[in-house]
């Protein structure tokens, strides 16, 4: 099995790589320190990535930049960060990558708890996550050749509390193991059009 993992150097990406390394050949992609360089905000970059990789059985994305800031102070340009990276970037991975995925292969995208349980300064991130969820639900009924598509929606991870815990007051962090298993379910399971929630 060949898996293309975008965002492997991040917190969640490294968890997915560890979880799947015994089941699959993993090709990593990202801004740096990866097998292949890709910029999710560039359709040309995404197309080049797929040309380099060739055929894969699964595409997993854990990358995506979001802006966190006060709604009253947020500019359209700041909101576009999440639109171009977390939302459009993930959608474009699917639109441009269907031909690269084998029959009955899969896409796994990443959303997050903020679309269901908002926090102060999280409106832009919530917007992008909710858009990805809606896309996954709708795209699933049109995917060709039995290709599946799901999204994984984690809350804050135990590994991220030190860095981002101040934004997630009262949220119970989840273990890396639970997050890894959610991605495993999407990659190796039979579900499609589903959200796998790790709350």
């Amino acid at each position: 099995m060949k898996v293309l993992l975008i965002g492997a150097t991040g917190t969640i990406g490294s968890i997915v790589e560890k979880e799947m390394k015994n089941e699959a050949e993993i090709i990593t992609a990202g801004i740096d320190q990866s097998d292949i360089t890709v910029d999710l905000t560039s359709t040309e970059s995404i197309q080049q990535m797929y040309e380099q990789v060739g055929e894969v059985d699964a595409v997993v994305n854990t990358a995506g930049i979001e802006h966190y800031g006060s709604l009253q102070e947020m500019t359209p340009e700041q909101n576009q960060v999440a639109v171009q990276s977390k939302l459009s970037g993930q959608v474009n991975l699917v639109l441009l990558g269907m031909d690269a995925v084998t029959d009955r292969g899969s896409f796994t995208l990443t959303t997050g708890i903020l679309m269901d349980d908002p926090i102060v300064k999280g409106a832009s991130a919530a917007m992008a996550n909710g858009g990805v969820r809606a896309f996954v639900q709708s795209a699933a009924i049109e995917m060709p050749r039995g290709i599946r598509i799901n999204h994984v929606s984690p809350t804050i991870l135990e590994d991220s509390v030190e860095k981002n815990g101040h934004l997630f007051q009262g949220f119970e962090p989840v273990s890396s193991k639970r997050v890894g298993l959610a991605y495993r379910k999407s990659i190796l399971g039979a579900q499609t059009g589903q959200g796998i929630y790790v709350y």
Side-chain angles (χ1 to χ4, degrees):
M1 182 181 193
K2 185 183 288 186
V3 175
L4 172 60
L5 175 59
I6 300 113
T9 59
T11 301
I12 294 177
S14 61
I15 291 169
V16 175
E17 185 171 20
K18 182 180 178 182
E19 181 67 37
M20 294 300 301
K21 66 182 180 182
N22 293 328
E23 271 76 29
E25 173 193 350
I26 298 175
I27 302 164
T28 62
I31 295 295
D32 54 22
Q33 298 179 319
S34 299
D35 299 326
I36 296 171
T37 300
V38 67
D39 175 2
L40 288 186
T41 66
S42 165
T43 55
E44 182 179 344
S45 179
I46 293 171
Q47 286 175 319
Q48 289 175 347
M49 173 189 69
Y50 281 124
E51 288 170 6
Q52 286 182 263
V53 171
E55 196 172 63
V56 296
D57 300 297
V59 175
V60 181
N61 182 65
T62 62
I65 302 170
E66 301 161 318
H67 172 77
Y68 289 85
S70 164
L71 184 68
Q72 294 183 55
E73 297 174 359
M74 190 186 309
T75 65
E77 291 76 19
Q78 288 171 327
N79 186 57
Q80 278 296 112
V81 171
V83 171
Q84 291 177 337
S85 180
K86 190 73 181 276
L87 178 52
S88 294
Q90 295 201 93
V91 170
N92 289 337
L93 281 174
V94 178
L95 299 181
L96 299 173
M98 279 183 277
D99 289 342
V101 175
T102 57
D103 293 358
R104 294 174 296 283
S106 68
F107 288 93
T108 301
L109 307 182
T110 298
T111 54
I113 194 172
L114 299 187
M115 61 186 175
D116 294 313
D117 195 353
I119 62 169
V120 174
K121 300 183 179 180
S124 186
M127 172 272 309
N129 290 335
V132 172
R133 172 167 60 187
F135 174 76
V136 165
Q137 290 173 334
S138 297
I141 66 174
E142 296 188 62
M143 296 296 284
R145 298 181 288 106
I147 296 173
R148 299 179 300 104
I149 181 169
N150 299 297
H151 68 94
V152 175
S153 178
T155 185
I156 187 169
L157 278 67
E158 291 173 351
D159 294 346
S160 302
V161 169
E162 186 174 344
K163 180 181 178 183
N164 297 318
H166 63 286
L167 293 171
F168 292 82
Q169 297 297 326
F171 286 70
E172 183 175 356
V174 294
S175 67
S176 296
K177 183 62 178 175
R178 284 190 61 203
V179 172
L181 289 173
Y183 284 89
R184 172 183 286 270
K185 178 184 285 188
S186 180
I187 297 164
L188 298 178
Q191 297 90 344
T192 190
Q194 300 298 306
I196 302 171
Y197 299 90
V198 194
Y199 297 168

